[in-house]
Amino acid sequence: MKKQIKSLSISLLIYSMFVILIGWKLTWFSNQSDTLFSQYGIIEMFKRLFNFFVNDASFSPLREGILLVSFGAIILASFWTIFLKLRKQLIALIIVDFILSFIILADAIYFRYFEDLISSAVLLQIKQMSSLGSSVGDLFTWKDFLLFGDVLIFTVLLVVLYKKIPHNKNANPALRLATGLVAGAAGAWLFFYPLHDFVEKGGAYLFDKTLSSMRVYEVTGLFGFHGFDTYKYLDEYVLNKKEVSAKDRKDAQAWFRDKNKEPAVQTVYEKKAAGKNLIMVQLEAYQSYVIDKKVNGQEITPNLNKLKKESLYFSDIHHQTASGRTSDAEFAANTSFYPLATGSAYVRFPRNEYDSLPLIMKENGYDTAAYHAYKPGFWNRYIVYPNLGFNEFHSIEDFKKGEQIGWSLGDESFFTQSVDIMKEGEDPFYSFLIALTSHYPYTMPAQYQNLDIDDVGDVNLRNYLQSVHYVDQAVGTFIEKLKKEGLWENSVVVFYGDHDSGYMQANTGSTLFANTKADKLGELEVKDGIPLFMHVPGVDGKEINKAGGQVDIMPTLLHLFGMNKDNYHHMGQNLLDDQESSVVFRYGSVKTDKYYYKAAYDLKLENGTCYDIESRQSVSVETCKPLYDKSIEHLGISDDVIFGNLVELWRNQSVK
């Protein structure tokens, strides 16, 4: 019996080392994502657990952090290895260690760029991620691979010492089974009881309608999130495909009905673009802080600076993308709905119908076409675009070979070839162009690094500035080409940025360079800021300082073209009227002309921060409660419309 206990003790010691190592790796991820792993140290945690069991103390303080659920998840993922004899146990633990370490590293890398976790919906987009190539590689540091140091060491030791490891002849299967089951039960309690306590105290909403992956993570831990996310995906899309309830459909329809009943505000801009062509260009990773900015006496964007003086320039516009990034931006701009919290609407719901911009333009006699010098299957564009109302999609296959810069054909060649295609068509037309050159990681060939900025910021910022400077040059060539072909004076030409550079985390070279106000609010403002230009023939240039986002581009254009109707389903607002405006971000933050509410990861009002824009100081979060309520309502309605394909449903109902 002593030998059996000794054998089991060795197995438990090894298993305990495994649990501690994985726990340490989870604390590393918590530090990477700047989230709370534990409010208390291990000793204090055990004291409070003792008080909970013995003195019937409150359990809620133990949920301040994810220590309990994290260790519970580790045990649940591995307790079965205790059943195995020592050699097999060591092999199994090394395999589990590798798998869990890989998940942690993958989430850390993904979080660095997207500030989110890899969800099942994102995994559906794995082909898009693989196309990032070296872009993803640049997110790694050599220290990241220390996560696999223990896997490597133990694998080598196992190989070298394999024959010297006891066969566990003294192992008692019943004793191991009982011990393993006890460990599993303990893991189940550590994981599920905190979640039970959370739900009992009003947290069920989090799992019913997930608006943020990070919010789930801060309750379930990393492995718990992936378990819940996998379960939810299978439940909603395989076992019990999610249906938007009749009540939610009714509430959403009532919201649009009330919105459309609001009297339209007349402006001097209404119908100023009637009958003109529309050329809209989405600029890759273009942020507003580079506009009118000089570095070492050099204009970063001289052509866009010139265009600004001749156009309606919206100086307080912000991107609203989530993990779908570029596809999210074009989705928001062309449908006036918010992107999904996880995954891309283009991938998850490619055949949905909307009252989209190309469809409305087509209904008004416009020819519609999208242009993008990349693979037609990327982001499912070849499937999505016909449903949005584009008659044609000109992908990489339709462009002549030219100099490849970054991912594909350089923007200058892409723009000029696109104009050649446009001029062969008939007026009026809507052409939607997605530029690509200024894509992460922004490394440009030496001949296109025309800014003298060797002493500026860090290498990431310098690469980014060289990249956007090249794209500005391409924009200048594009405008001259439009003028030469007689299209400039007969077209509304729109430029906007799709998302941030990915380098806008706190205290990075990019943020320090961009945030001239050098305060926390300024950091938030520049992080998501994108430019929006609308050049309208016959309309004088004007800067409009009104808070808005990509969902507002479409309603504003419809106002300019005089195509407004009271039965369209759009979330956005007209940026040209004099009404108070706001921009709702995908993860619950909201900005108006007066306040900026920065949502916390847990989406609780009290844990967010409310800033007064004029004083640039934080104020009571209650001041921002109406904004908070609005963000939750808007995001919920938009999600219901997308999940339920409600626009198509309502359209069919009206026809009947």
Side-chain angles (χ1 to χ4, degrees):
M1 187 66 179
K2 287 182 179 180
K3 290 182 178 181
Q4 294 173 357
I5 294 175
K6 180 181 178 181
S7 174
L8 181 60
S9 297
I10 293 173
S11 291
L12 291 177
L13 178 62
I14 293 171
Y15 180 73
S16 298
M17 289 175 59
F18 162 82
V19 172
I20 292 170
L21 281 168
I22 300 298
W24 173 82
K25 294 177 185 183
L26 289 175
T27 65
W28 174 84
F29 176 83
S30 181
N31 291 331
Q32 292 283 306
S33 58
D34 194 26
T35 52
L36 179 67
F37 190 77
S38 177
Q39 183 71 28
Y40 313 106
I42 296 294
I43 295 176
E44 181 64 23
M45 183 65 76
F46 274 110
K47 286 182 179 178
R48 290 178 176 268
L49 275 172
F50 178 82
N51 285 330
F52 168 71
F53 284 115
V54 177
N55 300 323
D56 199 29
S58 172
F59 183 83
S60 293
L62 293 168
R63 284 195 289 102
E64 295 180 19
I66 54 173
L67 185 148
L68 293 183
V69 292
S70 294
F71 277 97
I74 296 170
I75 295 171
L76 285 176
S78 60
F79 75 92
W80 54 272
T81 63
I82 298 174
F83 301 158
L84 305 175
K85 293 181 180 180
L86 188 55
R87 286 183 178 179
K88 292 182 179 179
Q89 182 190 27
L90 288 172
I91 295 171
L93 287 175
I94 288 173
I95 294 172
V96 175
D97 190 349
F98 177 83
I99 293 171
L100 298 183
S101 299
F102 181 82
I103 292 172
I104 294 169
L105 179 59
D107 277 316
I109 298 303
Y110 190 82
F111 185 88
R112 286 172 191 169
Y113 194 83
F114 295 103
E115 295 191 351
D116 199 8
L117 301 178
I118 299 176
S119 65
S120 297
V122 169
L123 289 176
L124 288 175
Q125 302 160 195
I126 195 65
K127 289 183 179 179
Q128 330 296 351
M129 295 298 294
S130 63
S131 296
L132 292 175
S134 63
S135 301
V136 174
D138 288 337
L139 293 171
F140 285 90
T141 69
W142 67 268
K143 293 181 181 179
D144 295 334
F145 295 99
L146 293 177
L147 284 175
F148 297 95
D150 59 324
V151 178
L152 179 62
I153 292 170
F154 291 131
T155 300
V156 171
L157 289 175
L158 180 63
V159 172
V160 173
L161 303 175
Y162 185 78
K163 291 184 178 180
K164 296 182 180 180
I165 298 173
H167 287 279
N168 277 78
K169 293 179 180 179
N170 300 310
N172 185 321
L175 184 60
R176 282 185 169 274
L177 179 63
T179 306
L181 291 176
V182 169
W189 187 91
L190 287 171
F191 182 76
F192 288 108
Y193 193 85
L195 300 183
H196 168 76
D197 187 70
F198 175 76
V199 170
E200 285 291 301
K201 291 179 170 58
Y205 70 92
L206 175 66
F207 303 108
D208 293 336
K209 185 170 285 190
T210 304
L211 296 178
S212 165
S213 296
M214 287 302 296
R215 172 62 182 120
V216 176
Y217 158 77
E218 292 201 339
V219 175
T220 64
L222 193 67
F223 301 141
F225 163 76
H226 286 294
F228 168 75
D229 177 67
T230 302
Y231 158 76
K232 187 169 184 178
Y233 178 82
L234 291 173
D235 181 60
E236 292 181 352
Y237 298 102
V238 180
L239 302 176
N240 301 296
K241 190 172 181 180
K242 180 178 177 179
E243 299 288 342
V244 178
S245 69
K247 180 182 182 304
D248 286 342
R249 292 198 302 270
K250 184 178 179 180
D251 289 346
Q253 193 167 23
W255 187 89
F256 286 108
R257 189 181 301 117
D258 292 342
K259 181 177 185 290
N260 289 331
K261 282 181 180 178
E262 297 173 2
V265 177
Q266 304 299 310
T267 78
V268 296
Y269 300 105
E270 189 169 11
K271 297 184 180 180
K272 286 292 184 180
K276 303 289 186 184
N277 301 316
L278 172 60
I279 302 171
M280 186 153 75
V281 182
Q282 180 170 289
L283 299 174
E284 174 66 34
Y286 234 83
Q287 298 209 243
S288 54
Y289 74 80
V290 299
I291 306 301
D292 280 336
K293 186 97 167 180
K294 288 186 177 182
V295 56
N296 290 340
Q298 307 155 99
E299 286 185 284
I300 301 171
T301 58
N303 291 295
L304 287 172
N305 295 346
K306 180 181 177 182
L307 178 66
K308 174 184 171 183
K309 298 174 184 177
E310 306 167 353
S311 307
L312 298 174
Y313 177 69
F314 302 86
S315 58
D316 194 17
I317 304 300
H318 301 262
H319 82 81
Q320 297 167 292
T321 69
S323 58
R325 301 293 272 180
T326 295
S327 70
D328 283 352
E330 58 185 85
F331 173 77
N334 280 286
T335 68
S336 194
F337 280 96
Y338 299 104
L340 298 174
T342 59
S344 167
Y346 277 18
V347 174
R348 297 179 66 181
F349 302 97
R351 301 190 185 279
N352 274 17
E353 294 184 12
Y354 307 92
D355 294 324
S356 60
L357 182 58
L359 184 65
I360 292 171
M361 300 293 281
K362 186 160 68 172
E363 289 174 347
N364 283 271
Y366 280 66
D367 189 21
T368 57
Y371 301 73
H372 186 43
Y374 202 59
K375 304 170 187 176
F378 200 70
W379 291 124
N380 267 356
R381 287 186 174 102
Y382 75 106
I383 296 174
V384 173
Y385 283 167
N387 291 329
L388 289 182
F390 285 111
N391 291 332
E392 296 178 342
F393 174 27
H394 301 285
S395 65
I396 188 61
E397 300 162 355
D398 302 303
F399 291 88
K400 299 174 184 176
K401 288 185 178 180
E403 184 174 13
Q404 178 166 323
I405 306 176
W407 279 32
S408 185
L409 189 67
D411 279 354
E412 193 160 22
S413 180
F414 165 64
F415 285 149
T416 54
Q417 289 192 54
S418 296
V419 176
D420 289 336
I421 298 172
M422 286 181 219
K423 71 180 183 182
E424 297 301 323
E426 296 183 1
D427 295 345
F429 62 78
Y430 167 37
S431 292
F432 178 59
L433 286 70
I434 305 116
L436 189 56
T437 300
S438 50
H439 195 286
Y440 180 89
Y442 316 112
T443 49
M444 297 292 294
Q447 65 266 34
Y448 296 117
Q449 296 183 26
N450 296 321
L451 292 174
D452 181 12
I453 53 173
D454 290 343
D455 60 341
V456 176
D458 56 21
V459 65
N460 295 328
L461 173 62
R462 292 193 293 274
N463 286 342
Y464 177 71
L465 295 180
Q466 297 286 10
S467 179
V468 296
H469 182 68
Y470 162 82
V471 174
D472 177 82
Q473 174 185 312
V475 167
T477 302
F478 179 54
I479 291 173
E480 290 304 311
K481 178 80 169 176
L482 289 172
K483 290 178 179 178
K484 180 182 177 181
E485 301 298 341
L487 294 173
W488 182 252
E489 288 304 322
N490 194 38
S491 304
V492 173
V493 183
V494 178
F495 296 93
Y496 69 93
D498 62 353
H499 53 72
D500 65 270
S501 66
Y503 291 136
M504 301 305 291
Q505 294 80 12
N507 298 317
T508 60
S510 297
T511 303
L512 295 173
F513 178 83
N515 183 15
T516 56
K517 294 178 180 175
D519 60 9
K520 192 65 180 177
L521 176 57
E523 185 177 289
L524 293 172
E525 290 172 329
V526 299
K527 175 180 172 60
D528 299 311
I530 58 170
L532 173 59
F533 304 82
M534 292 186 181
H535 180 270
V536 185
V539 175
D540 294 334
K542 181 180 180 180
E543 183 171 335
I544 300 172
N545 185 27
K546 184 174 181 177
Q550 288 152 331
V551 298
D552 304 317
I553 293 174
M554 180 178 173
T556 304
L557 287 172
L558 292 180
H559 180 75
L560 278 167
F561 280 86
M563 296 180 185
N564 296 309
K565 281 189 178 181
D566 60 6
N567 63 343
Y568 288 148
H569 302 93
H570 299 147
M571 302 295 300
Q573 60 207 340
N574 175 16
L575 294 170
L576 293 170
D577 62 30
D578 57 359
Q579 303 298 297
E580 184 177 4
S581 62
S582 64
V583 52
V584 174
F585 298 95
R586 177 60 254 191
Y587 297 120
S589 298
V590 193
K591 184 184 186 299
T592 70
D593 301 326
K594 297 179 180 178
Y595 297 102
Y596 194 122
Y597 174 71
K598 176 64 173 70
Y601 282 135
D602 61 9
L603 291 184
K604 292 181 180 178
L605 171 67
E606 62 272 19
N607 291 339
T609 307
C610 182
Y611 292 95
D612 181 287
I613 292 178
E614 184 176 357
S615 70
R616 309 199 67 76
Q617 301 296 314
S618 60
V619 296
S620 169
V621 291
E622 289 299 321
T623 305
C624 284
K625 188 176 186 304
L627 307 184
Y628 168 82
D629 293 339
K630 179 179 182 178
S631 73
I632 299 300
E633 179 188 37
H634 279 214
L635 294 173
I637 289 171
S638 181
D639 285 351
D640 285 341
V641 169
I642 297 170
F643 274 87
N645 195 13
L646 297 186
V647 173
E648 180 182 13
L649 175 67
W650 295 331
R651 190 180 290 154
N652 292 337
Q653 288 176 345
S654 65
V655 170
K656 293 178 181 180

